[in-house]
mmCIF file of all heavy atoms in Angstrom:
data_model
loop_
_atom_site.group_PDB
_atom_site.id
_atom_site.type_symbol
_atom_site.label_atom_id
_atom_site.label_comp_id
_atom_site.label_asym_id
_atom_site.label_seq_id
_atom_site.Cartn_x
_atom_site.Cartn_y
_atom_site.Cartn_z
ATOM 1 N N ALA A 1267 6.273 17.370 59.107
ATOM 2 C CA ALA A 1267 7.698 17.043 58.957
ATOM 3 C C ALA A 1267 8.179 16.152 60.100
ATOM 4 O O ALA A 1267 8.968 15.226 59.888
ATOM 5 C CB ALA A 1267 8.520 18.334 58.901
ATOM 6 N N LYS A 1268 7.702 16.419 61.318
ATOM 7 C CA LYS A 1268 8.106 15.627 62.476
ATOM 8 C C LYS A 1268 7.702 14.162 62.316
ATOM 9 O O LYS A 1268 8.490 13.245 62.573
ATOM 10 C CB LYS A 1268 7.478 16.214 63.736
ATOM 11 C CG LYS A 1268 7.786 15.439 65.002
ATOM 12 C CD LYS A 1268 7.085 16.069 66.209
ATOM 13 C CE LYS A 1268 7.324 15.256 67.472
ATOM 14 N NZ LYS A 1268 6.623 15.849 68.647
ATOM 15 N N LEU A 1269 6.457 13.923 61.857
ATOM 16 C CA LEU A 1269 5.991 12.549 61.693
ATOM 17 C C LEU A 1269 6.685 11.865 60.522
ATOM 18 O O LEU A 1269 6.928 10.662 60.562
ATOM 19 C CB LEU A 1269 4.476 12.520 61.524
ATOM 20 C CG LEU A 1269 3.677 12.896 62.780
ATOM 21 C CD1 LEU A 1269 2.177 12.727 62.535
ATOM 22 C CD2 LEU A 1269 4.088 12.061 63.977
ATOM 23 N N ASN A 1270 7.011 12.631 59.496
ATOM 24 C CA ASN A 1270 7.797 12.046 58.406
ATOM 25 C C ASN A 1270 9.156 11.566 58.910
ATOM 26 O O ASN A 1270 9.606 10.466 58.579
ATOM 27 C CB ASN A 1270 7.985 13.073 57.288
ATOM 28 C CG ASN A 1270 6.751 13.242 56.424
ATOM 29 O OD1 ASN A 1270 5.915 12.339 56.344
ATOM 30 N ND2 ASN A 1270 6.623 14.393 55.787
ATOM 31 N N ARG A 1271 9.808 12.404 59.729
ATOM 32 C CA ARG A 1271 11.122 12.024 60.277
ATOM 33 C C ARG A 1271 11.002 10.821 61.214
ATOM 34 O O ARG A 1271 11.935 10.019 61.324
ATOM 35 C CB ARG A 1271 11.745 13.210 61.025
ATOM 36 C CG ARG A 1271 12.192 14.348 60.129
ATOM 37 C CD ARG A 1271 13.085 15.312 60.886
ATOM 38 N NE ARG A 1271 12.398 15.922 62.027
ATOM 39 C CZ ARG A 1271 11.677 17.044 61.960
ATOM 40 N NH1 ARG A 1271 11.557 17.688 60.796
ATOM 41 N NH2 ARG A 1271 11.101 17.529 63.043
ATOM 42 N N ALA A 1272 9.842 10.708 61.873
ATOM 43 C CA ALA A 1272 9.630 9.589 62.801
ATOM 44 C C ALA A 1272 9.338 8.286 62.077
ATOM 45 O O ALA A 1272 9.186 7.241 62.714
ATOM 46 C CB ALA A 1272 8.503 9.921 63.768
ATOM 47 N N GLY A 1273 9.232 8.347 60.750
ATOM 48 C CA GLY A 1273 9.034 7.127 59.974
ATOM 49 C C GLY A 1273 7.589 6.769 59.688
ATOM 50 O O GLY A 1273 7.300 5.635 59.285
ATOM 51 N N VAL A 1274 6.665 7.718 59.872
ATOM 52 C CA VAL A 1274 5.262 7.454 59.533
ATOM 53 C C VAL A 1274 5.120 7.494 58.009
ATOM 54 O O VAL A 1274 5.568 8.441 57.357
ATOM 55 C CB VAL A 1274 4.323 8.484 60.188
ATOM 56 C CG1 VAL A 1274 2.870 8.222 59.777
ATOM 57 C CG2 VAL A 1274 4.459 8.432 61.700
ATOM 58 N N THR A 1275 4.515 6.469 57.460
ATOM 59 C CA THR A 1275 4.408 6.346 56.007
ATOM 60 C C THR A 1275 2.969 6.186 55.572
ATOM 61 O O THR A 1275 2.110 5.703 56.313
ATOM 62 C CB THR A 1275 5.212 5.139 55.494
ATOM 63 O OG1 THR A 1275 4.756 3.949 56.168
ATOM 64 C CG2 THR A 1275 6.701 5.341 55.757
ATOM 65 N N LEU A 1276 2.698 6.604 54.336
ATOM 66 C CA LEU A 1276 1.361 6.531 53.735
ATOM 67 C C LEU A 1276 1.311 5.382 52.745
ATOM 68 O O LEU A 1276 2.251 5.172 51.968
ATOM 69 C CB LEU A 1276 1.052 7.840 53.003
ATOM 70 C CG LEU A 1276 -0.292 7.922 52.286
ATOM 71 C CD1 LEU A 1276 -1.409 8.252 53.275
ATOM 72 C CD2 LEU A 1276 -0.251 8.984 51.173
ATOM 73 N N GLU A 1277 0.207 4.624 52.778
ATOM 74 C CA GLU A 1277 -0.033 3.569 51.800
ATOM 75 C C GLU A 1277 -1.430 3.749 51.220
ATOM 76 O O GLU A 1277 -2.341 4.179 51.930
ATOM 77 C CB GLU A 1277 0.039 2.187 52.465
ATOM 78 C CG GLU A 1277 1.337 1.874 53.178
ATOM 79 C CD GLU A 1277 1.250 0.585 53.969
ATOM 80 O OE1 GLU A 1277 0.413 -0.280 53.604
ATOM 81 O OE2 GLU A 1277 1.982 0.441 54.961
ATOM 82 N N GLU A 1278 -1.591 3.422 49.945
ATOM 83 C CA GLU A 1278 -2.927 3.447 49.339
ATOM 84 C C GLU A 1278 -3.405 2.014 49.130
ATOM 85 O O GLU A 1278 -2.638 1.146 48.712
ATOM 86 C CB GLU A 1278 -2.922 4.184 48.003
ATOM 87 C CG GLU A 1278 -4.320 4.291 47.388
ATOM 88 C CD GLU A 1278 -4.429 5.274 46.238
ATOM 89 O OE1 GLU A 1278 -3.380 5.827 45.815
ATOM 90 O OE2 GLU A 1278 -5.558 5.488 45.762
ATOM 91 N N TYR A 1279 -4.678 1.792 49.448
ATOM 92 C CA TYR A 1279 -5.303 0.484 49.276
ATOM 93 C C TYR A 1279 -6.381 0.597 48.208
ATOM 94 O O TYR A 1279 -7.229 1.494 48.255
ATOM 95 C CB TYR A 1279 -5.897 0.005 50.598
ATOM 96 C CG TYR A 1279 -6.727 -1.252 50.502
ATOM 97 C CD1 TYR A 1279 -6.271 -2.355 49.787
ATOM 98 C CD2 TYR A 1279 -7.966 -1.349 51.137
ATOM 99 C CE1 TYR A 1279 -7.021 -3.511 49.694
ATOM 100 C CE2 TYR A 1279 -8.722 -2.505 51.061
ATOM 101 C CZ TYR A 1279 -8.251 -3.586 50.335
ATOM 102 O OH TYR A 1279 -9.002 -4.734 50.239
ATOM 103 N N SER A 1280 -6.348 -0.311 47.233
ATOM 104 C CA SER A 1280 -7.291 -0.267 46.108
ATOM 105 C C SER A 1280 -8.090 -1.562 46.042
ATOM 106 O O SER A 1280 -7.725 -2.491 45.307
ATOM 107 C CB SER A 1280 -6.536 -0.046 44.792
ATOM 108 O OG SER A 1280 -5.785 1.156 44.833
ATOM 109 N N PRO A 1281 -9.188 -1.672 46.792
ATOM 110 C CA PRO A 1281 -9.973 -2.909 46.791
ATOM 111 C C PRO A 1281 -10.624 -3.220 45.462
ATOM 112 O O PRO A 1281 -10.971 -4.376 45.201
ATOM 113 C CB PRO A 1281 -11.014 -2.660 47.888
ATOM 114 C CG PRO A 1281 -11.117 -1.176 47.995
ATOM 115 C CD PRO A 1281 -9.753 -0.661 47.697
ATOM 116 N N GLU A 1282 -10.803 -2.206 44.601
ATOM 117 C CA GLU A 1282 -11.365 -2.466 43.273
ATOM 118 C C GLU A 1282 -10.388 -3.276 42.424
ATOM 119 O O GLU A 1282 -10.804 -3.954 41.483
ATOM 120 C CB GLU A 1282 -11.731 -1.150 42.587
ATOM 121 C CG GLU A 1282 -12.991 -0.512 43.155
ATOM 122 C CD GLU A 1282 -13.343 0.797 42.477
ATOM 123 O OE1 GLU A 1282 -12.474 1.677 42.404
ATOM 124 O OE2 GLU A 1282 -14.501 0.940 42.037
ATOM 125 N N ASP A 1283 -9.101 -3.200 42.744
ATOM 126 C CA ASP A 1283 -8.103 -3.992 42.032
ATOM 127 C C ASP A 1283 -7.959 -5.377 42.671
ATOM 128 O O ASP A 1283 -8.167 -6.398 42.013
ATOM 129 C CB ASP A 1283 -6.756 -3.258 42.030
ATOM 130 C CG ASP A 1283 -6.814 -1.942 41.267
ATOM 131 O OD1 ASP A 1283 -7.648 -1.825 40.358
ATOM 132 O OD2 ASP A 1283 -6.037 -1.038 41.621
ATOM 133 N N THR A 1284 -7.597 -5.396 43.941
ATOM 134 C CA THR A 1284 -7.408 -6.662 44.664
ATOM 135 C C THR A 1284 -7.819 -6.470 46.115
ATOM 136 O O THR A 1284 -7.330 -5.541 46.774
ATOM 137 C CB THR A 1284 -5.931 -7.114 44.613
ATOM 138 O OG1 THR A 1284 -5.510 -7.212 43.254
ATOM 139 C CG2 THR A 1284 -5.770 -8.461 45.295
ATOM 140 N N ARG A 1285 -8.694 -7.323 46.609
ATOM 141 C CA ARG A 1285 -9.097 -7.250 48.009
ATOM 142 C C ARG A 1285 -7.996 -7.818 48.893
ATOM 143 O O ARG A 1285 -7.447 -8.888 48.616
ATOM 144 C CB ARG A 1285 -10.396 -8.029 48.246
ATOM 145 C CG ARG A 1285 -11.624 -7.468 47.542
ATOM 146 C CD ARG A 1285 -12.114 -6.178 48.161
ATOM 147 N NE ARG A 1285 -12.608 -6.335 49.528
ATOM 148 C CZ ARG A 1285 -13.853 -6.661 49.852
ATOM 149 N NH1 ARG A 1285 -14.740 -6.952 48.902
ATOM 150 N NH2 ARG A 1285 -14.222 -6.745 51.127
ATOM 151 N N ASN A 1286 -7.694 -7.119 49.964
ATOM 152 C CA ASN A 1286 -6.742 -7.575 50.975
ATOM 153 C C ASN A 1286 -7.531 -7.735 52.273
ATOM 154 O O ASN A 1286 -7.686 -6.784 53.045
ATOM 155 C CB ASN A 1286 -5.609 -6.554 51.141
ATOM 156 C CG ASN A 1286 -4.546 -7.018 52.129
ATOM 157 O OD1 ASN A 1286 -4.810 -7.824 53.025
ATOM 158 N ND2 ASN A 1286 -3.333 -6.484 51.982
ATOM 159 N N PHE A 1287 -8.034 -8.942 52.521
ATOM 160 C CA PHE A 1287 -8.930 -9.142 53.657
ATOM 161 C C PHE A 1287 -8.180 -9.047 54.987
ATOM 162 O O PHE A 1287 -8.769 -8.680 56.008
ATOM 163 C CB PHE A 1287 -9.650 -10.482 53.523
ATOM 164 C CG PHE A 1287 -10.599 -10.519 52.361
ATOM 165 C CD1 PHE A 1287 -10.257 -11.182 51.192
ATOM 166 C CD2 PHE A 1287 -11.819 -9.880 52.432
ATOM 167 C CE1 PHE A 1287 -11.130 -11.207 50.113
ATOM 168 C CE2 PHE A 1287 -12.700 -9.898 51.364
ATOM 169 C CZ PHE A 1287 -12.355 -10.561 50.198
ATOM 170 N N SER A 1288 -6.911 -9.356 54.992
ATOM 171 C CA SER A 1288 -6.121 -9.206 56.205
ATOM 172 C C SER A 1288 -6.029 -7.732 56.598
ATOM 173 O O SER A 1288 -6.201 -7.372 57.767
ATOM 174 C CB SER A 1288 -4.716 -9.790 56.001
ATOM 175 O OG SER A 1288 -3.917 -9.562 57.132
ATOM 176 N N LEU A 1289 -5.774 -6.869 55.611
ATOM 177 C CA LEU A 1289 -5.726 -5.433 55.879
ATOM 178 C C LEU A 1289 -7.095 -4.916 56.307
ATOM 179 O O LEU A 1289 -7.205 -4.109 57.245
ATOM 180 C CB LEU A 1289 -5.239 -4.685 54.642
ATOM 181 C CG LEU A 1289 -5.269 -3.152 54.728
ATOM 182 C CD1 LEU A 1289 -4.401 -2.649 55.888
ATOM 183 C CD2 LEU A 1289 -4.825 -2.529 53.407
ATOM 184 N N GLU A 1290 -8.149 -5.381 55.644
ATOM 185 C CA GLU A 1290 -9.495 -4.923 56.004
ATOM 186 C C GLU A 1290 -9.850 -5.332 57.429
ATOM 187 O O GLU A 1290 -10.528 -4.584 58.153
ATOM 188 C CB GLU A 1290 -10.513 -5.471 55.007
ATOM 189 C CG GLU A 1290 -10.385 -4.844 53.625
ATOM 190 C CD GLU A 1290 -11.389 -5.393 52.623
ATOM 191 O OE1 GLU A 1290 -12.415 -5.969 53.062
ATOM 192 O OE2 GLU A 1290 -11.157 -5.237 51.406
ATOM 193 N N HIS A 1291 -9.398 -6.499 57.851
ATOM 194 C CA HIS A 1291 -9.624 -6.925 59.227
ATOM 195 C C HIS A 1291 -8.868 -6.004 60.193
ATOM 196 O O HIS A 1291 -9.393 -5.629 61.260
ATOM 197 C CB HIS A 1291 -9.157 -8.376 59.408
ATOM 198 C CG HIS A 1291 -9.329 -8.897 60.800
ATOM 199 N ND1 HIS A 1291 -10.560 -9.247 61.320
ATOM 200 C CD2 HIS A 1291 -8.417 -9.122 61.789
ATOM 201 C CE1 HIS A 1291 -10.405 -9.656 62.565
ATOM 202 N NE2 HIS A 1291 -9.122 -9.595 62.876
ATOM 203 N N GLU A 1292 -7.669 -5.629 59.822
ATOM 204 C CA GLU A 1292 -6.875 -4.715 60.648
ATOM 205 C C GLU A 1292 -7.563 -3.352 60.739
ATOM 206 O O GLU A 1292 -7.629 -2.735 61.822
ATOM 207 C CB GLU A 1292 -5.479 -4.573 60.043
ATOM 208 C CG GLU A 1292 -4.498 -3.822 60.907
ATOM 209 C CD GLU A 1292 -3.126 -3.731 60.259
ATOM 210 O OE1 GLU A 1292 -2.976 -4.147 59.082
ATOM 211 O OE2 GLU A 1292 -2.206 -3.240 60.935
ATOM 212 N N ILE A 1293 -8.093 -2.899 59.610
ATOM 213 C CA ILE A 1293 -8.805 -1.616 59.585
ATOM 214 C C ILE A 1293 -10.062 -1.676 60.445
ATOM 215 O O ILE A 1293 -10.386 -0.727 61.182
ATOM 216 C CB ILE A 1293 -9.139 -1.226 58.134
ATOM 217 C CG1 ILE A 1293 -7.857 -0.846 57.385
ATOM 218 C CG2 ILE A 1293 -10.149 -0.078 58.096
ATOM 219 C CD1 ILE A 1293 -8.038 -0.649 55.897
ATOM 220 N N ALA A 1294 -10.780 -2.803 60.367
ATOM 221 C CA ALA A 1294 -11.985 -2.967 61.191
ATOM 222 C C ALA A 1294 -11.649 -2.882 62.679
ATOM 223 O O ALA A 1294 -12.420 -2.317 63.473
ATOM 224 C CB ALA A 1294 -12.663 -4.294 60.870
ATOM 225 N N GLY A 1295 -10.495 -3.417 63.056
ATOM 226 C CA GLY A 1295 -10.069 -3.332 64.447
ATOM 227 C C GLY A 1295 -9.816 -1.900 64.873
ATOM 228 O O GLY A 1295 -10.195 -1.492 65.984
ATOM 229 N N LEU A 1296 -9.199 -1.109 63.988
ATOM 230 C CA LEU A 1296 -8.957 0.295 64.298
ATOM 231 C C LEU A 1296 -10.272 1.064 64.372
ATOM 232 O O LEU A 1296 -10.454 1.941 65.233
ATOM 233 C CB LEU A 1296 -8.039 0.918 63.245
ATOM 234 C CG LEU A 1296 -7.692 2.401 63.444
ATOM 235 C CD1 LEU A 1296 -7.016 2.626 64.784
ATOM 236 C CD2 LEU A 1296 -6.816 2.906 62.303
ATOM 237 N N GLU A 1297 -11.199 0.719 63.486
ATOM 238 C CA GLU A 1297 -12.517 1.366 63.515
ATOM 239 C C GLU A 1297 -13.213 1.134 64.856
ATOM 240 O O GLU A 1297 -13.792 2.053 65.445
ATOM 241 C CB GLU A 1297 -13.385 0.834 62.367
ATOM 242 C CG GLU A 1297 -14.783 1.421 62.321
ATOM 243 C CD GLU A 1297 -15.627 0.837 61.209
ATOM 244 O OE1 GLU A 1297 -15.134 -0.083 60.505
ATOM 245 O OE2 GLU A 1297 -16.777 1.261 61.061
ATOM 246 N N GLU A 1298 -13.153 -0.087 65.350
ATOM 247 C CA GLU A 1298 -13.776 -0.390 66.634
ATOM 248 C C GLU A 1298 -13.111 0.399 67.760
ATOM 249 O O GLU A 1298 -13.794 0.901 68.664
ATOM 250 C CB GLU A 1298 -13.696 -1.894 66.918
ATOM 251 C CG GLU A 1298 -14.619 -2.729 66.053
ATOM 252 C CD GLU A 1298 -16.070 -2.308 66.179
ATOM 253 O OE1 GLU A 1298 -16.540 -2.135 67.332
ATOM 254 O OE2 GLU A 1298 -16.734 -2.126 65.140
ATOM 255 N N GLN A 1299 -11.789 0.519 67.708
ATOM 256 C CA GLN A 1299 -11.092 1.325 68.716
ATOM 257 C C GLN A 1299 -11.535 2.782 68.651
ATOM 258 O O GLN A 1299 -11.723 3.445 69.673
ATOM 259 C CB GLN A 1299 -9.583 1.250 68.509
ATOM 260 C CG GLN A 1299 -8.953 -0.094 68.813
ATOM 261 C CD GLN A 1299 -7.452 -0.039 68.635
ATOM 262 O OE1 GLN A 1299 -6.776 0.855 69.139
ATOM 263 N NE2 GLN A 1299 -6.929 -0.996 67.880
ATOM 264 N N TRP A 1300 -11.693 3.281 67.438
ATOM 265 C CA TRP A 1300 -12.076 4.688 67.239
ATOM 266 C C TRP A 1300 -13.455 4.969 67.831
ATOM 267 O O TRP A 1300 -13.678 6.009 68.456
ATOM 268 C CB TRP A 1300 -12.040 5.002 65.748
ATOM 269 C CG TRP A 1300 -12.614 6.337 65.366
ATOM 270 C CD1 TRP A 1300 -13.698 6.577 64.583
ATOM 271 C CD2 TRP A 1300 -12.114 7.630 65.733
ATOM 272 N NE1 TRP A 1300 -13.912 7.919 64.436
ATOM 273 C CE2 TRP A 1300 -12.946 8.586 65.141
ATOM 274 C CE3 TRP A 1300 -11.035 8.056 66.515
ATOM 275 C CZ2 TRP A 1300 -12.749 9.964 65.306
ATOM 276 C CZ3 TRP A 1300 -10.842 9.425 66.681
ATOM 277 C CH2 TRP A 1300 -11.690 10.351 66.073
ATOM 278 N N TYR A 1301 -14.387 4.029 67.655
ATOM 279 C CA TYR A 1301 -15.758 4.250 68.127
ATOM 280 C C TYR A 1301 -15.975 3.804 69.576
ATOM 281 O O TYR A 1301 -17.009 4.127 70.163
ATOM 282 C CB TYR A 1301 -16.755 3.529 67.225
ATOM 283 C CG TYR A 1301 -17.043 4.272 65.940
ATOM 284 C CD1 TYR A 1301 -16.645 3.764 64.711
ATOM 285 C CD2 TYR A 1301 -17.713 5.491 65.969
ATOM 286 C CE1 TYR A 1301 -16.912 4.452 63.538
ATOM 287 C CE2 TYR A 1301 -17.972 6.186 64.810
ATOM 288 C CZ TYR A 1301 -17.576 5.663 63.595
ATOM 289 O OH TYR A 1301 -17.836 6.346 62.432
ATOM 290 N N GLU A 1302 -15.021 3.087 70.136
ATOM 291 C CA GLU A 1302 -15.188 2.610 71.501
ATOM 292 C C GLU A 1302 -15.325 3.798 72.456
ATOM 293 O O GLU A 1302 -14.499 4.707 72.472
ATOM 294 C CB GLU A 1302 -13.994 1.751 71.920
ATOM 295 C CG GLU A 1302 -14.157 1.114 73.290
ATOM 296 C CD GLU A 1302 -12.990 0.194 73.637
ATOM 297 O OE1 GLU A 1302 -12.099 0.023 72.779
ATOM 298 O OE2 GLU A 1302 -12.975 -0.314 74.762
ATOM 299 N N GLY A 1303 -16.388 3.780 73.227
ATOM 300 C CA GLY A 1303 -16.615 4.852 74.177
ATOM 301 C C GLY A 1303 -17.342 6.047 73.620
ATOM 302 O O GLY A 1303 -17.783 6.930 74.366
ATOM 303 N N LYS A 1304 -17.496 6.125 72.292
ATOM 304 C CA LYS A 1304 -18.270 7.221 71.720
ATOM 305 C C LYS A 1304 -19.753 6.966 71.956
ATOM 306 O O LYS A 1304 -20.216 5.836 72.010
ATOM 307 C CB LYS A 1304 -17.979 7.373 70.222
ATOM 308 C CG LYS A 1304 -16.561 7.853 69.950
ATOM 309 C CD LYS A 1304 -16.355 8.148 68.492
ATOM 310 C CE LYS A 1304 -14.920 8.606 68.229
ATOM 311 N NZ LYS A 1304 -14.630 9.899 68.864
ATOM 312 N N ARG A 1305 -20.510 8.054 72.056
ATOM 313 C CA ARG A 1305 -21.901 7.926 72.455
ATOM 314 C C ARG A 1305 -22.802 7.398 71.347
ATOM 315 O O ARG A 1305 -23.828 6.805 71.611
ATOM 316 C CB ARG A 1305 -22.403 9.276 72.968
ATOM 317 C CG ARG A 1305 -21.814 9.628 74.315
ATOM 318 C CD ARG A 1305 -22.088 11.056 74.703
ATOM 319 N NE ARG A 1305 -21.257 11.986 73.952
ATOM 320 C CZ ARG A 1305 -21.172 13.289 74.215
ATOM 321 N NH1 ARG A 1305 -21.870 13.797 75.205
ATOM 322 N NH2 ARG A 1305 -20.394 14.077 73.499
ATOM 323 N N LEU A 1306 -22.436 7.635 70.101
ATOM 324 C CA LEU A 1306 -23.211 7.085 69.004
ATOM 325 C C LEU A 1306 -22.416 7.194 67.723
ATOM 326 O O LEU A 1306 -21.406 7.881 67.656
ATOM 327 C CB LEU A 1306 -24.562 7.799 68.848
ATOM 328 C CG LEU A 1306 -24.522 9.317 68.599
ATOM 329 C CD1 LEU A 1306 -24.807 9.608 67.141
ATOM 330 C CD2 LEU A 1306 -25.525 10.017 69.478
ATOM 331 N N ARG A 1307 -22.893 6.496 66.711
ATOM 332 C CA ARG A 1307 -22.272 6.535 65.398
ATOM 333 C C ARG A 1307 -23.226 7.193 64.426
ATOM 334 O O ARG A 1307 -24.398 6.849 64.362
ATOM 335 C CB ARG A 1307 -21.942 5.117 64.919
ATOM 336 C CG ARG A 1307 -20.908 4.438 65.783
ATOM 337 C CD ARG A 1307 -20.693 2.999 65.418
ATOM 338 N NE ARG A 1307 -20.116 2.847 64.096
ATOM 339 C CZ ARG A 1307 -19.401 1.800 63.711
ATOM 340 N NH1 ARG A 1307 -19.155 0.821 64.560
ATOM 341 N NH2 ARG A 1307 -18.920 1.720 62.501
ATOM 342 N N LEU A 1308 -22.735 8.168 63.672
ATOM 343 C CA LEU A 1308 -23.562 8.848 62.687
ATOM 344 C C LEU A 1308 -23.573 8.036 61.401
ATOM 345 O O LEU A 1308 -22.623 7.369 61.051
ATOM 346 C CB LEU A 1308 -23.005 10.252 62.426
ATOM 347 C CG LEU A 1308 -22.866 11.121 63.686
ATOM 348 C CD1 LEU A 1308 -22.294 12.469 63.324
ATOM 349 C CD2 LEU A 1308 -24.187 11.273 64.391
ATOM 350 N N THR A 1309 -24.713 8.150 60.674
ATOM 351 C CA THR A 1309 -24.853 7.273 59.516
ATOM 352 C C THR A 1309 -25.239 7.976 58.234
ATOM 353 O O THR A 1309 -24.878 7.525 57.163
ATOM 354 C CB THR A 1309 -25.931 6.209 59.789
ATOM 355 O OG1 THR A 1309 -27.163 6.868 60.122
ATOM 356 C CG2 THR A 1309 -25.525 5.306 60.934
ATOM 357 N N TYR A 1310 -25.986 9.082 58.309
ATOM 358 C CA TYR A 1310 -26.554 9.597 57.054
ATOM 359 C C TYR A 1310 -25.517 10.326 56.210
ATOM 360 O O TYR A 1310 -25.264 9.962 55.073
ATOM 361 C CB TYR A 1310 -27.757 10.509 57.326
ATOM 362 C CG TYR A 1310 -28.322 11.091 56.050
ATOM 363 C CD1 TYR A 1310 -29.091 10.289 55.215
ATOM 364 C CD2 TYR A 1310 -28.031 12.377 55.658
ATOM 365 C CE1 TYR A 1310 -29.593 10.790 54.029
ATOM 366 C CE2 TYR A 1310 -28.531 12.881 54.477
ATOM 367 C CZ TYR A 1310 -29.306 12.095 53.663
ATOM 368 O OH TYR A 1310 -29.793 12.589 52.493
ATOM 369 N N SER A 1311 -24.947 11.396 56.755
ATOM 370 C CA SER A 1311 -23.986 12.140 55.949
ATOM 371 C C SER A 1311 -22.555 11.928 56.408
ATOM 372 O O SER A 1311 -21.657 12.683 56.070
ATOM 373 C CB SER A 1311 -24.320 13.639 55.964
ATOM 374 O OG SER A 1311 -24.242 14.136 57.268
ATOM 375 N N VAL A 1312 -22.351 10.933 57.209
ATOM 376 C CA VAL A 1312 -21.005 10.457 57.514
ATOM 377 C C VAL A 1312 -20.916 9.038 56.981
ATOM 378 O O VAL A 1312 -21.713 8.182 57.342
ATOM 379 C CB VAL A 1312 -20.726 10.489 59.026
ATOM 380 C CG1 VAL A 1312 -19.335 9.951 59.314
ATOM 381 C CG2 VAL A 1312 -20.874 11.910 59.552
ATOM 382 N N GLY A 1313 -19.966 8.803 56.113
ATOM 383 C CA GLY A 1313 -20.012 7.578 55.331
ATOM 384 C C GLY A 1313 -19.453 6.356 56.030
ATOM 385 O O GLY A 1313 -19.147 6.343 57.209
ATOM 386 N N ASP A 1314 -19.318 5.287 55.237
ATOM 387 C CA ASP A 1314 -18.712 4.040 55.664
ATOM 388 C C ASP A 1314 -17.640 3.713 54.635
ATOM 389 O O ASP A 1314 -17.502 4.379 53.619
ATOM 390 C CB ASP A 1314 -19.782 2.944 55.738
ATOM 391 C CG ASP A 1314 -19.395 1.832 56.693
ATOM 392 O OD1 ASP A 1314 -18.194 1.738 57.008
ATOM 393 O OD2 ASP A 1314 -20.277 1.063 57.091
#
C-alpha cells in the first residue's frame, strides 16, 4: 500500500506482440546493475 501511494506503477511488456527495443535496452541496464558485484551468475535453473 505504501508503494502504491508513492506512485509506483506496474506495466506489462509483450514482446510477442511488439518488440520495444528501447525498453529492452533499459531493462538490460537494470540487469547489469543487479549483477554488478555479485560473485557469479546462475544459468541452469535460473532463467533468462
Side-chain angles (χ1 to χ4, degrees):
K1268 178 182 177 181
L1269 291 184
N1270 283 336
R1271 290 194 299 272
V1274 178
T1275 56
L1276 178 81
E1277 303 172 25
E1278 183 167 6
Y1279 172 46
S1280 302
E1282 285 180 307
D1283 296 333
T1284 304
R1285 295 288 295 273
N1286 183 335
F1287 293 103
S1288 176
L1289 174 59
E1290 291 180 20
H1291 179 74
E1292 189 179 7
I1293 290 171
L1296 180 59
E1297 179 182 3
E1298 288 303 313
Q1299 291 183 49
W1300 171 243
Y1301 281 113
E1302 185 176 357
K1304 292 187 181 294
R1305 288 169 285 189
L1306 59 104
R1307 295 173 66 155
L1308 304 179
T1309 57
Y1310 178 76
S1311 62
V1312 178
D1314 204 342

